[in-house]
Amino acid sequence: MHPPILAIDTSCDETAVAVTQGNLILSNVVASQVELHKPYGGVFPTVAKLAHRENLPAASKLALKRAGITPSELAAVAVTQGPGLAPALEVGIEFAKQLAKEWDKPLIAVNHVEGHLLSVLARPRPKTSLPATPEMEAELPFPILGVIVSGKHNDFVRINGLGQYQLLGSTIDDAAGEALDKVGRMLDLGYPAGPVIEEFAKRGNARAIEFPLPMTTSGDFNVSFSGMKTFARNKIEALSGEASLSSQTIYDFCASFQRAVIRAILYKLNKILQTESFGEVWLGGGVAANTALRSELRAMLKPYGLKLKVPYTKKLCGDNAAMIGIVAGYKLHRGEVANPSDLDRRPRWNLNELSAVAGTE
Ligand code: KG4
Ligand code: ZN
């Protein structure tokens, strides 16, 4: 039996609280701040901090209510320790510490990227009340290739076991979602631009503009999007001249840029697969909601005989606390409980450093 965990994530612009039991999601509350940050064209840290502080009490009450769980039934309180925006992380950690103290529960500190990695394991709550049994490690085909593409992260990870990760490659500048958002801003598509670019791309010609393929000679598994972004800015300037861009030109631009971003990711994934063998590939993060990325990645994996796993609902691609609760379930099982008195935010917390966690006993 795996008792329920209340999990909190305030790493960026979503105030997220969930109740999970093993891999089952009993409730998953996400109070989005997208509207608040729209005027800034990105996430404004002070605004995020204040909004988290305001939203957390109601979001946790709602998460418990939807789960039908009382605090006394919880096994632990879990919280994202990092990576993320320092002021935003701080609010979630303070709140989690308070709850753990008030309810007299252990506190579990979770890495946000590990949350995205394990989001494919999430299962919806069954209609009949079955006890939650997480898949055992032995049943998972390790090593697994984890691919995280979001607004902040762009990581290729070898998952040797749950809690055992090795970063194979990352971005040397922007994450894919960040690049989509920045180019979307150049085109006045609003924030976040990723979903808009996906929609517009469906109406455009992906071969209209040939973007350069980056990092082909770097000899590593890292990606970079800054060259593509500069290319995009110059191209938009050249195309617009005196007049504004036509709708069709914008659609073609979106289709071509989306193709370029996907190609850059797949190019490096292909290199990784030519070097190492994996049992499965897991995709997570906000950009994992992109249908073109999913289908092109599936097609690329076919010759390798590899299956692609994605979260069961697109809501789990973006930031949420259910994924934090799932990681916390495994950590609790392994006895990895944090010491509240020295648990502090870790705004930059690389998956390779998971074993040396400050504030974990
Ligand atoms: O995982 P997430 O919610 O936050 C981070 O941890 O960064 O990811 C947000 C990112 C944004 O950059 C957004 O533009 C992108 O995910 N995104 C998409 C799609 N939906 C969200 N990008 C491409 N296609 C989508 N359908
Ligand atoms: Zn995230």
Side-chain angles (χ1 to χ4, degrees):
M1 277 299 287
H2 297 267
I5 290 174
L6 179 123
I8 296 167
D9 183 283
T10 60
S11 59
C12 193
D13 59 344
E14 323 275 9
T15 311
V17 185
V19 178
T20 54
Q21 191 172 9
N23 292 342
L24 298 185
I25 299 180
L26 304 189
S27 67
N28 188 16
V29 175
V30 180
S32 176
Q33 301 177 8
V34 162
E35 290 307 318
L36 283 179
H37 298 284
K38 259 195 176 129
Y40 306 100
V43 181
F44 200 76
T46 330
V47 173
K49 178 177 176 159
L50 293 175
H52 286 314
R53 195 166 278 160
E54 202 177 305
N55 291 340
L56 273 171
S60 342
K61 278 203 184 89
L62 186 61
L64 284 170
K65 189 170 170 231
R66 285 193 182 155
I69 294 285
T70 59
S72 63
E73 293 171 274
L74 293 172
V77 174
V79 67
T80 299
Q81 189 184 1
L85 288 176
L89 289 166
E90 190 181 286
V91 179
I93 293 172
E94 280 317 309
F95 188 73
K97 281 184 188 176
Q98 261 175 38
L99 291 185
K101 194 171 170 202
E102 189 185 324
W103 297 338
D104 193 22
K105 304 288 173 190
L107 189 62
I108 301 172
V110 175
N111 179 295
H112 180 84
V113 180
E114 185 178 10
H116 278 303
L117 269 182
L118 300 202
S119 57
V120 302
L121 296 177
R123 298 285 170 265
R125 176 185 206 149
K127 297 271 186 291
T128 53
S129 57
L130 295 171
T133 36
E135 281 164 283
M136 297 312 291
E137 288 195 35
E139 292 165 22
L140 295 168
F142 299 119
I144 290 163
L145 176 58
V147 181
I148 301 304
V149 265
S150 77
K152 292 278 173 292
H153 313 286
N154 208 111
D155 293 333
F156 307 140
V157 185
R158 187 204 288 118
I159 309 175
N160 291 317
L162 298 180
Q164 294 163 44
Y165 311 105
Q166 190 185 349
L167 204 53
L168 300 172
S170 202
T171 175
I172 59 164
D173 37 60
D174 291 346
E178 201 172 357
L180 288 164
D181 291 340
K182 285 180 179 168
V183 169
R185 198 166 161 184
M186 296 174 200
L187 294 168
D188 271 335
L189 302 183
Y191 171 82
V196 183
I197 292 182
E198 170 162 32
E199 277 319 297
F200 283 7
K202 290 177 189 160
R203 302 175 213 168
N205 171 10
R207 311 264 163 181
I209 301 160
E210 206 54 49
F211 280 83
L213 182 63
M215 305 284 280
T216 50
T217 55
S218 66
D220 55 25
F221 302 134
N222 293 328
V223 289
S224 161
F225 295 103
S226 72
M228 245 187 242
K229 236 172 34 193
T230 310
F231 184 89
R233 182 171 293 115
N234 293 338
K235 199 76 194 170
I236 291 169
E237 273 171 23
L239 284 170
S240 45
E242 296 292 296
S244 57
L245 298 177
S246 73
S247 300
Q248 193 54 52
T249 307
I250 293 177
Y251 298 154
D252 288 347
F253 200 96
C254 288
S256 302
F257 185 62
Q258 178 177 277
R259 173 171 173 261
V261 169
I262 295 174
R263 270 182 82 207
I265 295 168
L266 296 199
Y267 179 83
K268 287 301 166 97
L269 288 178
N270 209 5
K271 290 271 173 228
I272 292 174
L273 292 169
Q274 283 164 5
T275 325
E276 298 185 39
S277 301
F278 295 91
E280 226 166 42
V281 180
W282 293 0
L283 180 65
V287 185
N290 188 284
T291 312
L293 170 64
R294 290 178 176 198
S295 62
E296 289 186 35
L297 180 51
R298 275 202 183 95
M300 192 205 87
L301 295 178
K302 224 173 176 178
Y304 293 99
L306 283 170
K307 208 174 97 185
L308 180 69
K309 266 197 187 168
V310 296
Y312 77 84
T313 158
K314 285 191 175 173
K315 192 180 172 190
L316 290 171
C317 292
D319 285 348
N320 66 87
M323 65 186 194
I324 304 303
I326 288 167
V327 174
Y330 290 103
K331 292 189 91 163
L332 183 66
H333 198 65
R334 298 195 296 264
E336 293 173 27
V337 170
N339 178 356
S341 57
D342 56 53
L343 178 69
D344 200 5
R345 65 197 186 178
R346 296 189 74 182
R348 296 169 185 280
W349 184 10
N350 187 307
L351 276 182
N352 281 340
E353 303 157 12
L354 265 193
S355 46
V357 184
T360 298
E361 299 176 321

